[in-house]
């Protein structure tokens, strides 16, 4: 339920309650994230979320700007648009005046850059959802019915992003630990070493750490593990979601931590839901 006051929409659910429910849903299919958060808490850490990310398609009724409007109802504002040429994606991230709240990162697949077959598949899958008003359910409940595993496999090779989003719907794709907020690690390299020792698999595409301090952002992530998903045919195990880690650096001359994102890092991070060879 939401109440509209002129241009401003006020949600009845508090943002923290939404984030808690989103975390609960995410950790059900991302057990590594729950384990890591628990390990960090055992070390006395208070985990701060840098951002949470959603994936969608650029279809009317479901596009990134339309999904983003929902977060504007909680006081978020659109900060910057990003283009990921290689992955044929666009993204927008949203920031909140309360800096303890995570940024919301929403990416969308530019469907017209793909085959007519893929467009038709996504089109039929998303029709009902695209014609339903956007609310908290859009992010917290199943987006559409199970897809065919044959289709998932067929379109996986054209766009892993399309296949993932078709299989999982519009739910959180990853939460992100703000490494700057951790007290017991020297930085992201130290944290990665700890995670590897604990037996987690990290995304090694382009090196474990994406970015360098002069980029003002360094990122790493786990590789999504395979979880059972209901397909039309049967339950099948496919890579689900990953947990991301971000270390931010102060913007020269400003002193404040850089709050943006870097497409060249993110291109590699997106691959955290790929199948391990
Ligand atoms: Ni991210």
């Amino acid at each position: 339920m939401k109440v509209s006051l002129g241009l401003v929409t006020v949600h009845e659910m508090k943002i923290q309650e939404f984030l808690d429910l989103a975390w609960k849903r995410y950790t059900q299919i991302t057990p590594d994230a729950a384990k890591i958060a628990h390990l960090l808490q055992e070390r006395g850490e208070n985990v701060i979320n840098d951002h949470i990310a959603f994936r969608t398609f650029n279809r009317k009724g479901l596009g990134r700007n339309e999904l983003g409007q929902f977060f504007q109802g909680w006081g978020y504002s659109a900060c910057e648009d990003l283009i990921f040429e290689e992955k044929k994606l666009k993204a927008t991230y949203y920031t909140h005046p309360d800096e303890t709240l995570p940024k919301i990162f929403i990416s969308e697949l530019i469907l017209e850059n793909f085959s007519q077959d893929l467009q038709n598949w996504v089109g039929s899958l998303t029709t009902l959802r695209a014609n339903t008003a956007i609310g908290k359910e859009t992010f917290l409940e199943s987006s559409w019915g199970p897809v065919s595993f044959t289709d998932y496999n067929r379109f996986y090779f054209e766009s892993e992003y399309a296949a993932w989003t078709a299989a999982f719907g519009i739910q959180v794709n990853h939460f992100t630990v703000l490494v700057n907020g951790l007290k017991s690690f020297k930085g992201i390299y130290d944290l990665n070493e700890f995670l590897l020792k604990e037996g987690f698999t990290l995304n090694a595409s382009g090196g474990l750490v994406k970015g360098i301090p002069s980029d003002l952002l360094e990122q790493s992530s786990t590789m999504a593990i395979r979880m059972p998903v209901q397909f039309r045919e049967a339950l099948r195990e496919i890579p689900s979601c990953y947990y991301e880690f971000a270390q931010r650096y102060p913007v020269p001359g400003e002193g404040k931590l850089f709050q943006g994102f870097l497409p060249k890092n993110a291109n590699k991070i997106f691959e955290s839901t790929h199948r391990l060879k």
Side-chain angles (χ1 to χ4, degrees):
M1 279 290 289
K2 51 190 181 178
V3 185
S4 204
L5 298 171
L7 288 172
V8 185
T9 299
V10 181
H11 300 305
E12 286 180 358
M13 180 183 268
K14 291 205 164 54
I15 176 71
Q16 196 54 56
E17 195 186 337
F18 174 87
L19 293 171
D20 290 346
L21 290 171
W23 170 258
K24 199 172 161 196
R25 187 162 187 231
Y26 161 79
T27 48
Q28 277 166 2
I29 55 165
T30 322
D32 277 359
K35 284 183 207 157
I36 292 169
H38 184 70
L39 284 170
L40 295 176
Q41 281 152 9
E42 274 183 348
R43 288 170 64 108
E45 297 288 3
N46 174 32
V47 177
I48 298 168
N49 280 314
D50 177 78
H51 65 275
I52 64 172
F54 295 96
R55 292 179 172 184
T56 190
F57 301 105
N58 71 333
R59 170 173 192 168
K60 195 172 180 320
L62 279 183
R64 69 189 204 281
N65 293 322
E66 288 160 288
L67 296 184
Q69 276 169 16
F70 178 74
F71 293 92
Q72 290 172 334
W74 272 310
Y76 276 90
S77 359
C79 201
E80 189 184 1
D81 290 323
L82 302 165
I83 296 174
F84 302 87
E85 296 277 358
E86 195 184 309
K87 300 273 187 274
K88 299 170 183 161
L89 302 169
K90 285 185 183 170
T92 300
Y93 63 90
Y94 298 79
T95 55
H96 197 278
D98 176 352
E99 290 177 2
T100 64
L101 289 173
K103 289 173 280 296
I104 307 289
F105 183 98
I106 307 175
S107 58
E108 68 183 14
L109 193 71
I110 308 305
L111 288 166
E112 53 272 29
N113 289 332
F114 293 89
S115 69
Q116 195 58 51
D117 272 1
L118 187 145
Q119 293 184 46
N120 293 346
W121 180 55
V122 170
S124 62
L125 185 67
T126 55
T127 296
L128 190 62
R129 177 55 60 184
N131 289 296
T132 307
I134 293 167
K136 61 182 191 301
E137 307 76 21
T138 311
F139 308 91
L140 298 175
E141 292 173 13
S142 165
S143 301
W144 36 76
V147 298
S148 131
F149 191 60
T150 308
D151 286 340
Y152 169 87
N153 274 318
R154 180 173 153 218
F155 292 113
Y156 181 94
F157 294 99
E158 191 175 344
S159 166
E160 180 277 335
Y161 183 107
W164 188 95
T165 310
F168 290 99
I170 301 163
Q171 59 177 298
V172 171
N173 172 265
H174 60 273
F175 275 73
T176 311
V177 174
L178 177 65
V179 178
N180 304 63
L182 302 175
K183 309 274 180 272
S184 66
F185 295 94
K186 285 193 271 307
I188 196 163
Y189 285 85
D190 195 22
L191 174 65
N192 285 346
E193 209 172 297
F194 168 77
L195 296 173
L196 291 172
K197 261 188 212 146
E198 289 288 342
F200 295 99
T201 305
L202 300 181
N203 175 344
S205 175
L208 288 185
V209 174
K210 283 71 169 155
I212 51 173
S214 61
D215 291 335
L216 309 183
L217 174 61
E218 292 177 307
Q219 287 162 283
S220 64
S221 63
T222 63
M223 279 306 284
I225 61 168
R226 284 169 184 258
M227 291 296 286
V229 169
Q230 186 65 55
F231 284 90
R232 271 193 210 154
E233 296 91 336
L235 275 181
R236 292 273 188 263
E237 291 195 350
I238 60 164
S240 61
C241 305
Y242 58 92
Y243 204 18
E244 189 180 308
F245 313 97
Q247 181 163 357
R248 296 185 175 275
Y249 291 86
V251 179
E254 284 185 25
K256 274 192 69 175
L257 293 181
F258 174 66
Q259 292 299 310
F261 293 87
L262 305 165
K264 80 177 162 70
N265 287 10
N267 263 333
K268 299 292 183 199
I269 292 279
F270 274 120
E271 294 172 11
S272 305
T273 53
H274 283 200
R275 293 170 181 167
L276 282 171
K277 308 259 159 25

